């Protein structure tokens, strides 16, 4: 008897679609599958968590100016509440909890929330990714108020200002180069004296006179009450402290996809992101689909996540149809 069988003993209804995660991808999948009368259950995450909060990463941002349809911009949390309301309007059901275990060994698939188990003919995984943070006091509180993890999203707000980027990989250099379009100066703060980034990115960054490298420095303190007011840096060689008066801090030390829960079942790339069949949301298990940042280590935008959520919903719908449901 599998764990899913024992859950079935309790006469649990089998759902057509269970969606795990409620960022732009999961909620778009919910809108589409709800409108297709598949009554999706969305396991939306836990409000207390920074990695699994309902609404995903946009709940940690303020103004979103690049989501089409909002010429005056929209607040990230407001945008996500609108997505959610739209899904609810068509009958999507929500559980405000974190999925704690899955069993994809056979149909129906089982998804646990603590002791409770839900069964689904299809599962759409949209658990997203999280930007790694430095783990300093004030950092989380000032996200959206000077601290950011996304230059594409927030660079525009720093026109003519002096800002810092932390990290020494391709992401940090890409963000720094992009930010030179807006900022008057970009300090690249790196904890070593050698970059991890590819040579071509290094060459580009070294050639850009708006970027100044601060080698062997780590951010020791992020200062500010309402907004970021500056940084205290520590020299990793000498231990000396210095102040850096910047109005923006972009933390670009990597991302982590939220895929641990699926490690026993779904194929992952070496960097942990889920593998989907190109051009589809299909994973290696028929009936399990993935969309949004959990399978996208390249674009990572709300609008691309929403688009892939639509793909996952249509893939799930057609898969159910082919099975005669
Ligand atoms: P990454 O390559 O893992 O680099 C992370 C950087 O952050 C490293 O330089 C690391 O320092 C630093 N770092 C990590 N934790 C830190 C901490 N607590 N405090 C200070 N610094 C810290 O991550 P990534 O740059 O996001 O790139 C991830 C992958 O995506 C890479 O394979 C990369 O090539 C790829 N990527 C490619 C492109 C492109 O081709 N255009 C763009 C972005 C990303 P150390 O060097 O000292 O470890």
């Amino acid at each position: 008897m599998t764990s899913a069988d024992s859950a079935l003993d309790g006469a649990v209804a089998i759902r057509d679609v269970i969606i795990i995660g409620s960022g732009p991808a999961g909620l778009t999948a919910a809108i589409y599958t709800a409108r297709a009368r598949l009554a999706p259950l969305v396991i939306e995450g836990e409000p207390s968590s920074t990695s699994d909060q309902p609404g995903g990463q946009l709940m940690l941002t303020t103004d979103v100016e690049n989501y089409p349809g909002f010429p005056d911009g929209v607040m990230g949390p407001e945008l996500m509440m609108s997505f959610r309301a739209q899904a609810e309007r068509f009958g999507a059901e929500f559980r405000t909890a974190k999925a704690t275990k899955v069993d994809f060994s056979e149909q129906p698939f089982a998804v646990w929330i603590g002791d409770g188990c839900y069964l689904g003919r299809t599962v759409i995984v949209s658990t997203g990714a999280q930007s790694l943070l430095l783990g300093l006091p004030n950092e989380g509180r000032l996200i959206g108020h000077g601290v950011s993890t996304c230059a594409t999203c927030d660079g525009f707000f720093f026109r003519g200002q002096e800002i810092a980027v932390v990290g020494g990989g391709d992401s940090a250099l890409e963000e720094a180069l992009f930010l030179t379009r807006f900022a008057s100066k970009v300090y690249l703060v790196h904890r070593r004296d050698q970059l991890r980034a590819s040579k071509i990115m290094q060459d580009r960054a070294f050639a850009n006179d708006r970027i100044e490298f601060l080698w062997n420095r780590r951010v020791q303190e992020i200062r500010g009450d309402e907004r970021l007011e500056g940084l205290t840096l520590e020299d990793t060689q000498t231990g000396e402290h210095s102040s850096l008066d910047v109005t923006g801090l972009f933390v670009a030390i990597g991302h982590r996809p939220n895929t641990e829960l699926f490690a026993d079942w779904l194929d992952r790339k070496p960097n942990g992101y889920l593998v989907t069949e190109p051009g589809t949301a299909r994973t290696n298990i028929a009936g399990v689909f993935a969309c949004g940042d959990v399978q996208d280590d390249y674009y990572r935008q709300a609008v691309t996540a929403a688009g892939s959520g639509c793909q996952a919903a249509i893939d799930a719908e057609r898969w159910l149809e082919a099975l005669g449901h």
Side-chain angles (χ1 to χ4, degrees), residues 134 166-172 174 190-192 196 201 252-254:
L134 297 166
V166 185
D170 279 322
S171 293
E174 193 171 73
H190 185 37
R191 62 186 178 183
R192 295 187 295 137
R196 185 178 292 278
M201 294 295 279
I253 60 173

Side-chain angles (χ1 to χ4, degrees), residues 190-248:
H190 185 37
R191 62 186 178 183
R192 295 187 295 137
D193 62 359
Q194 275 187 341
L195 294 169
R196 185 178 292 278
S198 54
K199 180 79 170 63
I200 186 165
M201 294 295 279
Q202 296 196 25
D203 290 345
R204 277 187 209 150
F206 291 144
N208 191 311
D209 56 14
R210 283 200 187 180
I211 300 178
E212 180 176 335
F213 285 83
L214 300 177
W215 302 108
N216 299 317
R217 307 286 217 294
R218 67 176 196 91
V219 180
Q220 199 215 19
E221 190 189 359
I222 295 174
R223 301 193 308 266
D225 294 323
E226 301 292 311
R227 281 201 60 81
L228 177 72
E229 284 161 18
L231 306 174
T232 305
L233 303 183
E234 184 186 50
D235 189 312
T236 56
Q237 313 264 292
T238 64
E240 248 172 60
H241 290 168
S242 58
S243 181
L244 190 65
D245 294 328
V246 285
T247 50

